[in-house]
Amino acid sequence: MYKNLKEEFTSFNYFNDDKWKTELPNFTLETSERIVKKRKVSVVIANYNNGPYLSKMLDSLIYQTIGLEKLQILFVDDKSTDNSSEIILDYLEKYSSIEYYQFDENTGGAHGPRNLGLQYIRGEYVVILDADDWYGLTALENLSNLMDDSQDNFAVGGIVQVNDKNVSAKSKAYYMDGLQKNREIQDLPYEFYEFLGPQGIMLRTKLVLENNLHFVNQRVADDVTFFYQALRLSRTISQLPEKTTYLNRASDNESLSKNINESFMISWLRALAFINETIPNDRSKELFLARRLDWLVLDFGLRRNIGYKFGLSRLKNFKKMVGDYLPNLRFNPSNYFRAEARKIAWSDLMKNRLLHLYLFVNWHSHRESLKIQKKIDNLYYFVFPFMPKILINVKSFVKQVVKDDETVTFEIEFFSNESLNGFEFHAIDDPFDVILPFEIFEKNGNYLVKFDRKDLIKNKTLHVITNKYHDTIVEQKAIERKL
């Protein structure tokens, strides 16, 4: 056990000294035959046993429109035991600009390889790429051009998340507001802090080096603290409306859930404690902490199917850890929570109503089809005797579809506690491929949404957009039947 938070922060390399450099293992280095010292963009890639994904990732770099000659590719391997070495060496022999660093021993997380890469970056800008993700081919050119123009130190672009079943947009607040330059971080919405991982972000190298930014020595929450510190130092950011990065979630989701355990929880709370203790109170800090606590309440207050067994003991420990790590929290984060169930869970935790929360979770975890839905004051709720009613964020139904030779009109019944921002058709394999209606009007309390018929093909889904950054698919089966 640690005597205090400062001692704990020191142990995990949170502070701005050089301890994070001296604790790294020895490494060997092999490079392409042609390496140019000055580059536009440095790409730091941390790898451990990602052999099946490396070719796709590397090809996305080799064929960037910015040109391989403007890239510095730092591939840092954490003592992989698969065929990663064979794959990277093959690319290294064929292409320029690749530097292959291999640790003599495994560091146990992406922080070690990333930190080694940061010590050797030479580009004007730097990006951190996970070895199983990949870039759109124009990503690095578009992001670096934007930063050239804006002179900001921090830029973000669109992210596409890919899993075994579908493709979806990620972190909509990165791009939904369109092209932005010199945007004050205090003006960023709550949804901006939903993710803040490496994907879709480019930094000015000078900012990283001059402030000794690095990844803390823990397996989770190392990247979010790194990028939030960079965001704070930047003060303003640029935003690109085009997609830049593909986030790979094609692995076994069940195994990912099992990794959400007690250690995961404590690592996150440690990271939030550091931000809370070291950064002045303002709107950005409040939104950042609230969004992460929003997510932690979901995982450890409401979810059952994770690697930390659900029960009263877990709820009790979660409450204790929140109190231990965030004793000086100066605001109520649940004021920002989007989901009613999370607000209830936070309230129960703070009031020590753990038995009530335990019973509430047992009911709330039932499938939606088993819950009683009730319409109250023009909104939909889940209701159950002796339990708080749960506001359903969005409910939308296709009442009918009217077609003629040129148009298709959908009559949609819509209920939400959020403001309606519009309706869109998205391509199933590319959420940035969007079709907008050319007319929306209200009739008898419903929305009539009219599209050009030639645009509507069967591999698209109809979405209702609420609060600008949220979207929900509208009854796809009903639409397919009626089309």
Side-chain angles (χ1 to χ4, degrees):
M1 290 294 294
Y2 301 97
K3 294 179 182 178
N4 51 49
L5 282 175
K6 184 176 180 180
E7 183 179 295
E8 189 167 351
F9 295 151
T10 300
S11 178
F12 287 89
N13 295 346
Y14 274 84
F15 291 117
N16 220 4
D17 52 30
D18 286 338
K19 184 171 173 277
W20 64 276
K21 298 178 182 178
T22 59
E23 291 187 348
L24 292 174
N26 294 325
F27 64 90
T28 57
L29 171 63
E30 298 186 55
T31 69
S32 300
E33 185 174 340
R34 185 169 181 270
I35 295 289
V36 177
K37 187 173 182 180
K38 189 174 182 181
R39 294 299 171 107
K40 189 73 171 179
V41 180
S42 294
V43 184
V44 177
I45 304 155
N47 176 69
Y48 179 72
N49 287 353
N50 283 295
Y53 308 106
L54 293 185
S55 291
K56 189 175 188 68
M57 179 274 295
L58 288 165
D59 284 345
S60 80
L61 294 172
I62 298 301
Y63 299 109
Q64 282 290 307
T65 57
I66 194 174
L68 186 57
E69 70 280 358
K70 292 185 179 180
L71 300 182
Q72 178 197 14
I73 301 171
L74 301 97
F75 185 94
V76 188
D77 186 76
D78 203 15
K79 195 64 175 176
S80 291
T81 59
D82 67 356
N83 65 337
S84 293
S85 178
E86 298 172 20
I87 295 170
I88 189 64
L89 286 172
D90 182 54
Y91 275 81
L92 185 146
E93 290 177 3
K94 293 178 181 177
Y95 301 101
S96 65
S97 308
I98 301 175
E99 302 170 20
Y100 172 38
Y101 302 79
Q102 187 178 47
F103 280 136
D104 292 346
E105 57 185 89
N106 183 266
T107 65
H111 56 277
R114 288 169 176 169
N115 282 338
L116 181 68
L118 291 179
Q119 296 181 61
Y120 295 96
I121 52 178
R122 302 188 303 274
E124 183 178 357
Y125 305 115
V126 60
V127 293
I128 309 294
L129 179 64
D130 285 347
D132 57 346
D133 297 336
W134 63 96
Y135 285 122
L137 296 185
T138 61
L140 300 183
E141 180 178 25
N142 289 343
L143 282 169
S144 60
N145 285 345
L146 177 59
M147 293 183 75
D148 285 346
D149 189 34
S150 71
Q151 291 300 297
D152 283 324
N153 292 317
F154 191 116
V156 294
I159 306 171
V160 174
Q161 181 168 292
V162 182
N163 65 30
D164 297 327
K165 296 180 180 179
N166 58 52
V167 180
S168 58
K170 180 81 172 176
S171 297
K172 290 193 170 186
Y174 278 19
Y175 62 87
M176 279 290 288
D177 293 324
L179 183 65
Q180 299 282 323
K181 302 173 188 176
N182 313 127
R183 188 176 189 183
E184 295 282 344
I185 66 167
Q186 302 298 336
D187 295 336
L188 295 172
Y190 182 59
E191 288 80 5
F192 185 88
Y193 301 98
E194 174 186 318
F195 186 56
L196 216 60
Q199 295 81 5
I201 294 178
M202 179 176 283
L203 303 177
R204 192 174 298 275
T205 297
K206 185 178 180 181
L207 178 85
V208 175
L209 298 182
E210 289 186 350
N211 292 282
N212 202 20
L213 293 182
H214 60 279
F215 294 86
V216 297
N217 186 20
Q218 55 189 50
R219 292 191 64 182
V220 298
D222 61 316
D223 49 4
V224 174
T225 50
F226 175 88
F227 286 107
Y228 186 64
Q229 287 176 294
L231 185 73
R232 297 289 311 199
L233 291 164
S234 300
R235 298 186 180 179
T236 62
I237 69 167
S238 297
Q239 295 181 255
L240 187 73
E242 290 83 26
K243 64 185 171 190
T244 62
T245 319
Y246 291 83
L247 172 59
N248 183 4
R249 287 291 182 264
S251 55
D252 184 346
N253 286 331
E254 183 179 355
S255 66
L256 289 173
S257 294
K258 288 178 180 177
N259 288 328
I260 302 176
N261 52 28
E262 184 181 23
S263 175
F264 180 104
M265 176 186 77
I266 292 172
S267 294
W268 264 109
L269 289 172
R270 182 187 303 119
L272 298 188
F274 181 76
I275 297 298
N276 192 45
E277 295 289 331
T278 60
I279 289 179
N281 295 315
D282 57 23
R283 182 177 183 274
S284 174
K285 173 182 168 180
E286 204 166 284
L287 295 182
F288 171 79
L289 291 175
R291 186 62 190 93
R292 306 324 297 179
L293 286 168
D294 187 348
W295 179 50
L296 290 174
V297 167
L298 170 64
D299 277 340
F300 299 102
L302 292 172
R303 290 182 64 185
R304 297 172 59 92
N305 59 332
I306 61 174
Y308 190 178
K309 185 178 179 181
F310 176 72
L312 279 171
S313 61
R314 187 183 89 182
L315 297 176
K316 183 178 179 180
N317 189 38
F318 181 41
K319 173 184 168 49
K320 180 181 183 302
M321 291 296 105
V322 170
D324 288 348
Y325 281 100
L326 297 169
N328 302 316
L329 199 62
R330 296 176 180 270
F331 70 104
N332 181 359
S334 69
N335 290 336
Y336 296 102
F337 292 179
R338 182 181 174 223
E340 197 75 18
R342 301 183 201 184
K343 294 180 181 181
I344 292 168
W346 179 263
S347 178
D348 281 352
L349 286 166
M350 295 302 101
K351 294 176 181 177
N352 205 31
R353 290 161 42 97
L354 301 185
L355 179 59
H356 179 272
L357 179 55
Y358 175 80
L359 296 173
F360 174 74
V361 172
N362 281 324
W363 165 71
H364 183 67
S365 60
H366 291 322
R367 294 196 310 270
E368 184 171 315
S369 60
L370 299 178
K371 296 178 183 177
I372 301 170
Q373 297 183 31
K374 188 174 181 180
K375 188 177 177 183
I376 305 173
D377 296 331
N378 224 24
L379 293 174
Y380 277 90
Y381 293 83
F382 292 129
V383 296
F384 193 76
F386 311 111
M387 288 293 162
K389 65 181 185 295
I390 304 297
L391 184 64
I392 301 172
N393 283 333
V394 179
K395 269 288 181 184
S396 53
F397 311 90
V398 176
K399 304 293 288 185
Q400 66 174 336
V401 179
V402 178
K403 297 178 285 186
D404 59 32
D405 291 340
E406 296 183 350
T407 66
V408 179
T409 302
F410 299 89
E411 182 181 353
I412 298 174
E413 187 177 8
F414 168 78
F415 304 93
S416 179
N417 64 321
E418 300 180 348
S419 58
L420 175 67
N421 195 253
F423 298 90
E424 301 173 351
F425 267 95
H426 295 182
I428 290 176
D429 59 351
D430 184 357
F432 280 72
D433 181 1
V434 173
I435 295 174
L436 299 175
F438 61 81
E439 188 175 11
I440 300 176
F441 56 95
E442 291 187 58
K443 181 180 179 182
N444 300 327
N446 295 334
Y447 289 91
L448 298 181
V449 187
K450 187 174 291 189
F451 290 87
D452 192 319
R453 185 168 183 172
K454 69 176 183 296
D455 289 336
L456 300 189
I457 55 178
K458 289 189 176 181
N459 68 337
K460 295 185 182 294
T461 53
L462 180 58
H463 294 243
V464 55
I465 312 299
T466 56
N467 196 30
K468 198 175 196 178
Y469 308 110
H470 305 149
D471 71 291
T472 306
I473 296 178
V474 181
E475 282 195 310
Q476 181 62 17
K477 290 183 179 179
I479 291 172
E480 290 175 352
R481 286 196 306 270
K482 293 171 183 176
L483 279 179

